Amino acid sequence: MEVCVDSVESAVNAVNGGASRLELCCALSEGGLTPSVGLLRVVKQEVNVPVFVMIRPRGGDFAYSEQEFEVMKEDLIALKDIGDADGFVLGILTRDGEVDTRRCSQLIELARPQPVTFHRAFDMTRDPFRALEAIVGLRVERVLTSGQETTALEGLPLLQELVGRACGRTTVIAGGGITERNLERILRGSGCREFHCSARTNVDSVMQYRNPRVRMGAQCGVPEYSLRVADTDRIQTMISIAQSIPQDTTHIN
């Protein structure tokens, strides 16, 4: 079970719940962006599981300018050399919706010997099977996908086929809208051995004085006095569900 987190509190909660790996980001409301070196270093001090770091310079699409690509390279180098990241999560597409193998290969080379996950940019590709072969060719260890739908449950048919086509050449991680209510169906139906979720809950701010007239971000953003953090109990429940499923009952093409 990989849990995506954007704070030290969430990281500690996730590991206490039994998460075996963390994906560290900032700005999960944007789908996850590159975290700071400081956040990575403090998280590493507090947890004892591998911490894979997101390399994504902004929200929105995955076709980046040359300047944004330079930012990605510099961030990766800093997070690897100073922050001691255990792995990286990344993905770049061309304007035509193909995997940008040229620029991805440069990032992967900078990341080595650490493992790499190709993130849900995969779900925005034109042809998922061609994208899968491109990712296999890049020797990427994992690909995170919801089966090119908003949630992994909706994308279950494609997840099934991707696991079969990957045939052990890379690991397909199911991710996207996974909860306690749908986890068993997704794991049984897809054949995935790894899954990715945030398992968050709302926690009230410790602030006693509150100014209700001011918002720091977009009007539709998370309120200043409500925090979203990983929920230890939810994570424990999901791990129990996953462990209760015999591997020979999952579907593999």
Side-chain angles (χ1 to χ4, degrees):
M1 179 181 188
E2 177 180 86
V3 179
C4 55
V5 299
D6 60 1
S7 69
V8 178
E9 181 179 5
S10 285
V12 171
N13 288 354
V15 174
N16 286 343
S20 54
R21 185 173 62 243
L22 301 179
E23 180 195 276
L24 185 64
C25 318
C26 72
L28 278 176
S29 60
E30 290 271 4
L33 304 179
T34 305
S36 69
V37 171
L39 177 58
L40 172 60
R41 296 187 74 175
V42 175
V43 166
K44 291 272 292 180
Q45 292 168 10
E46 297 292 329
V47 305
N48 59 356
V49 302
V51 180
F52 282 26
V53 178
M54 174 70 74
I55 301 296
R56 187 181 177 210
R58 58 161 172 78
D61 63 44
F62 300 99
Y64 299 115
S65 68
E66 283 303 315
Q67 293 89 347
E68 289 170 331
F69 182 51
E70 290 301 315
V71 170
M72 297 172 79
K73 291 191 289 185
E74 292 295 334
D75 280 342
L76 193 154
I77 291 169
L79 289 159
K80 178 184 176 184
D81 295 344
I82 302 173
D84 197 25
D86 297 301
F88 293 93
V89 182
L90 55 88
I92 304 177
L93 304 183
T94 68
R95 294 182 180 183
D96 294 328
E98 306 287 347
V99 175
D100 189 333
T101 54
R102 179 183 66 84
R103 294 203 286 183
C104 284
S105 65
Q106 292 182 48
L107 293 181
I108 293 165
E109 183 177 355
L110 289 174
R112 295 306 187 201
Q114 309 297 53
V116 173
T117 299
F118 195 96
H119 58 45
R120 287 185 64 201
F122 178 89
D123 291 323
M124 300 299 187
T125 58
R126 180 189 301 272
D127 183 330
F129 305 121
R130 189 161 59 200
L132 178 65
E133 293 305 317
I135 289 167
V136 168
L138 290 168
R139 302 181 69 83
V140 171
E141 284 81 0
R142 295 174 177 86
V143 54
L144 172 64
T145 174
S146 60
Q148 295 208 325
E149 300 289 347
T150 300
T151 69
L153 187 60
E154 294 171 285
L156 193 54
L158 180 56
L159 277 171
Q160 293 173 357
E161 191 161 0
L162 290 169
V163 170
R165 292 200 183 207
C167 198
R169 296 176 297 161
T170 189
T171 297
V172 177
I173 309 176
I178 294 181
T179 70
E180 310 92 302
R181 294 181 295 277
N182 60 28
L183 174 61
E184 181 173 0
R185 182 176 173 188
I186 290 168
L187 292 183
R188 285 185 182 275
S190 68
C192 290
R193 300 288 186 258
E194 300 187 14
F195 66 98
H196 169 104
C197 63
S198 61
R200 294 192 294 168
T201 191
N202 288 321
V203 175
D204 194 41
S205 167
V206 299
M207 287 289 297
Q208 295 180 344
Y209 171 74
R210 304 183 179 193
N211 183 351
R213 301 185 304 277
V214 179
R215 294 291 297 273
M216 293 294 109
Q219 291 300 310
C220 61
V222 177
E224 275 68 36
Y225 302 111
S226 178
L227 307 177
R228 296 277 287 166
V229 298
D231 187 310
T232 299
D233 291 338
R234 290 188 66 193
I235 292 166
Q236 289 175 339
T237 298
M238 294 174 78
I239 289 176
S240 295
I241 292 170
Q243 291 176 338
S244 72
I245 303 172
Q247 289 195 2
D248 60 3
T249 65
T250 56
H251 172 85
I252 299 179
N253 287 338

